[in-house]
Amino acid sequence: MLRNNFINNLLNLKDVFVKNIVNGDDFVEFHVETKKKSHVCPSCGSTTSKVHDYRTQKIKD
């Protein structure tokens, strides 16, 4: 837990949880997850907190 807080503070990440860090020869991968929150369904308008889809997104810097 302390390591996760340190990494979040170091990289200025807010509202995410660092799941894994992969160190390669010429790259570093941070696997993070956002916290689940309620959203309004665009079809019926009801509020739900169910997860419809998971996706992986690469961010290059």
Side-chain angles (χ1 to χ4, degrees):
M1 184 66 130
L2 180 61
R3 180 177 133 183
N4 189 35
N5 288 337
F6 176 74
I7 292 169
N8 284 3
N9 291 338
L10 178 68
L11 299 175
N12 198 22
L13 299 173
K14 297 188 179 4
D15 299 327
V16 296
F17 178 68
V18 179
K19 297 290 286 181
N20 192 17
I21 300 172
V22 178
N23 292 308
D25 292 335
D26 58 347
F27 67 91
V28 177
E29 286 182 2
F30 293 92
H31 296 245
V32 299
E33 286 185 1
T34 57
K35 296 176 184 177
K36 187 169 37 168
K37 55 186 173 182
S38 297
H39 292 281
V40 176
C41 176
S43 298
C44 67
S46 65
T47 303
T48 182
S49 61
K50 293 183 180 180
V51 176
H52 173 73
D53 191 5
Y54 291 98
R55 65 185 166 117
T56 302
Q57 183 173 352
K58 289 186 179 183
I59 301 171
K60 295 182 180 180
D61 186 22

